[in-house]
Amino acid sequence: MQIILNGQTIETQQANLADLLVEQGYEALLVATAFNQHFVAKDQRADTVLIEGCKVEVVAPMQGG
Amino acid sequence: MNMKTTEANNQAAQAKNKAKNKTKTKEGSGKALEFYGQKLESRLLLGTAQYPSPQVLLEAIEQSKTQIITVSVRRESGSSQDGQQFWQLLKQSNCKILPNTAGCHSAKEAITTAMMARELFDTPWIKLEVIGNDDTLQPDVFGLVEAATELCQQGFKVFPYTTDDLVVGEKLLAAGCEVLMPWGAPIGSGRGLQNPKALESYRHYFPDTSLVIDAGIGLPSQAAQAMELGYDAVLLNTAVARAGNPVAMAQAFDQAINAGRSAYLSQPIEPRDMARPSTPVAGTPFWLS
């Protein structure tokens, strides 16, 4: 299925958010996530089922003012 | 005197007492700086963006003597992992982290960003920005109050980036904010305090609230002016990061903020329209001759 990860359309066969993060190289990284504009806590990622066209945000610390 | 007149007089007296209490600024602000129970020595909050190098950022943080640095959250790439390197750098600063919601244009975006920041940085502190205009980067105060209300209910310690509007300030306090951060000028403009009279009124109107000038500061003298008005602290980024020598500028801001604070506590003289000789006139040679 196709989903939108950080604004980019990608193809994935992963069923949930936790597996998607592993597939995309985020495993062991300090990141936070949102699914369709709703925050998803770390312990909820495995329960967050991906669906066609869903929007996933993966963020990390960045410089800011 | 009829009953209606007496009631009116009582209301007037209460309003006068309320106004009197609200002008006890100087006494009330002589205390140590404290944000949400966290006592602090430095009155400078420093941003971490736009520095020429990570090393310069660390040196500027050290020379500024700041204890709070602001950071943000952005999309992370699983391959380049830029955020992970920045996080390793931040840990060397030993400063308290104040994440922001910069770039958010709605309460919903800001709330979601705040929740992601809380998990990332393991802190309930959030510098709440809801931007209403891309040219001025001025706050959308309606979205700001909406987001602050929700975040305070969820246990966040909110530092709202706001205007100098008193009513908005009151609504933010009612929402649960214990700190207010009115802007000095548009973000990154370096124009200093654009409306010092309004900011002075703001200080008098909220005598017991921790007030921080956030944004628009370009020079140490402008930061000193904010402190002379009685503000509790100053938050800035661009003025240091984009200076020719960020490390020296960071030191200059530390000195200016301390000087401004000392001046405020030293009870400055009132300005006069006409001259008054500082040298005693009596005994001047040829006086009255």
Side-chain angles (χ1 to χ4, degrees), chain A:
Chain A
M1 69 181 148
Q2 287 193 330
I3 68 164
I4 300 171
L5 173 63
N6 282 349
Q8 301 289 320
T9 301
I10 65 163
E11 185 74 31
T12 183
Q13 299 308 316
Q14 302 305 317
N16 63 61
L17 183 54
D19 290 343
L20 176 73
L21 293 184
V22 174
E23 178 194 68
Q24 295 295 320
Y26 292 107
E27 193 179 19
L29 300 189
L30 178 68
V31 293
T33 54
F35 179 82
N36 285 344
Q37 298 193 324
H38 292 282
F39 168 66
V40 179
K42 193 173 183 178
D43 60 6
Q44 297 294 315
R45 290 173 189 162
D47 297 328
T48 302
V49 177
L50 302 180
I51 54 176
E52 181 76 25
C54 66
K55 295 179 179 176
V56 174
E57 297 286 337
V58 182
V59 301
M62 191 55 63
Q63 295 88 342

